[in-house]
Amino acid sequence: MQTITVNLTSASDERSYPIYIGNGILNQPGLVLRHLPRKRVAIVSNTTVAPLYLESFRGMLESHGVTSVPIILPDGEKYKNWETLNLIFDALLAHRCERHTLVVALGGGVVGDLAGFAAATYLRGVPFIQVPTTLLAQVDSSVGGKTGINHPLGKNMIGAFYQPRVVLIDTSTLDTLPDKELRAGIAEIIKYGLIRDSAFLEWLESNMPKLLARDREILIEAVRRSCLHKAEIVEADEHESGVRALLNLGHTFGHAIENAMGYGRWLHGEAVAAGTILAAELSRRLHMIGEADVERIRKIYLRAGLPVVAPNLGPEKYLHLMGLDKKVEAGKMRFVLLKRIGEAVVRSDVPSEVLRNMLSECTADA
Ligand code: NAD
Ligand code: GLY
């Protein structure tokens, strides 16, 4: 097992936490027990993940005297909303869960974002832990404390920064993950290479067939290196006033795609992949990177089996949806662009004509 620490120590409080990564570690009671304030937890999962992992996890806790309230949500991005959040509150209240009841998020990014937001707001905050079961959640969403829900007008627009007590990454849960979901997770892994680690991108280029074949060592290494990047960024800028925004490479376009197509039609990772090609193309048109760089980025996404052509929503629709992005400041859109492979920057001076032309020329009818 490997341990990475997200260091959030300050003079006034201590919110640092470990990320444990290993195969089969969900059955190691000590990793959870040492973080429990009381021997009672509420486990939030969904109708797909619960039949796979809930009973054995509950059983493991029960054998150590921990009682649990299971809260099973409907599965899907389209349920990442107020109604589903309320289902969690209903269950927590109906079971009289108190301040020391710890919330466990057992599932992918949707369960993690919902359960984390519920924990951030229930009784003004109860402790929670992340047990991510998708590759995307293991390399990105479970670390860093972003929690929240979608709004019909914009993705992830309602939420809170709220850090977990521990992130428990059991890579054996990926054995049951559909290929399409595995590929969506790879999109976020590639992102770390593009924004801050060209050597990691090269490693991914060499190891893509093994990653897709779920080679255990390669998977663990990809998760470990991704979590190291995520932890470093979150430590430097927990509330996204600076460098954390770089994690949104491709996301401004991607969130617009997810919203316009209907939440759940394009997987988050798929929308990020196609969105990153648009960000790369915009970077090229602003003379920041060259055509060969764009080709290289397109190639790695293609090799990962991810979409590289964004849908043609029309420039106006993109601009409208991107105007609701969380990075908008003083009414100005801000874009994460590539200075080179391995280095990203935020720019708010993209000429509207360059953006519109790029959106017309680089998208295609679905
Ligand atoms: P998801 O949670 O919808 O999971 C994908 C699918 O896989 C679901 O059907 C789920 O039930 C199923 N599943 C989960 N684990 C499984 C397993 N082990 N075996 C079989 N099936 C399994 O999607 P996701 O890709 O994990 O997360 C996407 C969400 O994460 C989006 O809402 C996105 O906005 C959010 N996100 C949040 C952050 C953050 O920092 N909080 C970062 C990136 C993405
Ligand atoms: N996934 C983006 C972030 O955590 O900041």
Side-chain angles (χ1 to χ4, degrees):
M1 188 186 77
Q2 323 230 12
T3 306
I4 292 169
T5 303
V6 182
N7 206 327
L8 294 170
T9 309
S10 70
S12 56
D13 66 350
E14 169 52 89
R15 291 173 303 114
S16 302
Y17 57 91
I19 306 169
Y20 302 123
I21 305 168
N23 211 42
I25 62 171
L26 216 48
N27 297 322
Q28 291 184 26
L31 299 181
V32 180
L33 294 178
R34 71 179 73 137
H35 299 282
L36 293 185
R38 295 272 195 287
K39 290 204 159 183
R40 188 162 194 237
V41 300
I43 306 175
V44 181
S45 193
N46 72 17
T47 49
T48 304
V49 178
L52 295 168
Y53 301 108
L54 180 66
E55 279 320 309
S56 63
F57 188 63
R58 277 188 91 188
M60 182 270 287
L61 292 174
E62 244 163 52
S63 67
H64 289 80
V66 180
T67 58
S68 57
V69 175
I71 304 175
I72 313 301
L73 307 177
D75 181 10
E77 184 73 36
K78 68 176 182 214
Y79 296 108
K80 194 173 136 180
N81 57 24
W82 274 119
E83 288 72 28
T84 313
L85 186 68
N86 260 325
L87 295 178
I88 305 179
F89 295 137
D90 291 347
L92 291 171
L93 285 164
H95 288 88
R96 299 178 184 278
C97 293
E98 301 170 356
R99 275 239 163 89
H100 289 104
T101 307
L102 176 137
V103 171
V104 180
L106 175 68
V110 170
V111 164
D113 283 8
L114 275 160
F117 191 31
T121 45
Y122 182 67
L123 304 182
R124 301 200 177 90
V126 295
F128 95 108
I129 70 173
Q130 289 271 15
V131 184
T133 60
T134 62
L135 183 60
L136 186 138
Q138 296 185 352
V139 299
D140 191 351
S141 64
S142 65
V143 177
K146 276 193 185 176
T147 72
I149 56 174
N150 300 326
H151 186 279
L153 294 180
K155 171 123 174 109
N156 291 341
M157 292 307 274
I158 323 284
F161 286 101
Y162 194 65
Q163 300 293 342
R165 295 275 174 106
V166 56
V167 181
L168 191 57
I169 299 179
D170 185 340
T171 46
S172 76
T173 59
L174 302 178
D175 292 348
T176 54
L177 194 68
D179 283 338
K180 192 173 155 74
E181 299 291 349
L182 187 88
R183 291 195 289 265
I186 294 175
E188 299 281 22
I189 299 176
I190 292 171
K191 173 182 80 180
Y192 296 112
L194 291 175
I195 64 170
R196 69 197 312 258
D197 188 351
S198 57
F200 187 35
L201 194 81
E202 275 167 38
W203 183 87
L204 287 167
E205 286 168 334
S206 305
N207 288 291
M208 188 58 72
K210 286 186 180 167
L211 196 51
L212 288 165
R214 302 173 196 233
D215 177 294
R216 191 61 56 194
E217 275 178 28
I218 295 295
L219 260 179
I220 290 183
E221 181 61 4
V223 172
R224 186 189 71 82
R225 286 171 84 158
S226 299
C227 286
L228 272 173
H229 281 299
K230 184 85 192 248
E232 272 180 29
I233 291 174
V234 170
E235 284 167 5
D237 178 24
E238 184 181 0
H239 296 120
E240 198 169 309
S241 45
V243 71
R244 188 165 181 171
L246 302 180
L247 288 171
N248 288 318
L249 177 69
H251 286 56
T252 305
F253 298 109
H255 286 167
I257 297 170
E258 284 184 81
N259 177 296
M261 303 306 279
Y263 294 128
R265 285 268 311 279
W266 276 59
L267 299 184
H268 178 68
E270 293 173 340
V272 165
T276 300
I277 300 300
L278 296 182
E281 187 56 39
L282 193 54
S283 309
R284 184 188 72 76
R285 288 168 187 234
L286 295 170
H287 310 292
M288 299 167 72
I289 59 173
E291 180 56 41
D293 295 318
V294 180
E295 261 324 296
R296 183 175 169 197
I297 298 168
R298 195 174 279 123
K299 195 166 160 204
I300 190 165
Y301 281 120
L302 275 174
R303 287 183 66 213
L306 285 158
V308 291
V309 182
N312 179 10
L313 312 175
E316 293 316 316
K317 177 109 188 186
Y318 268 107
L319 293 175
H320 170 71
L321 288 169
M322 294 191 309
L324 290 166
D325 187 73
K326 290 189 291 307
K327 285 187 296 305
V328 169
E329 251 180 37
K332 273 202 142 196
M333 268 186 248
R334 295 159 76 235
F335 292 92
V336 182
L337 299 176
L338 291 170
K339 246 172 120 170
R340 60 180 179 85
I341 287 186
E343 188 178 354
V345 286
V346 177
R347 294 229 349 219
S348 53
D349 60 346
V350 174
S352 152
E353 189 150 313
V354 177
L355 181 60
R356 279 170 201 274
N357 288 343
M358 187 281 291
L359 286 168
S360 300
E361 291 160 20
C362 299
T363 57
D365 291 332

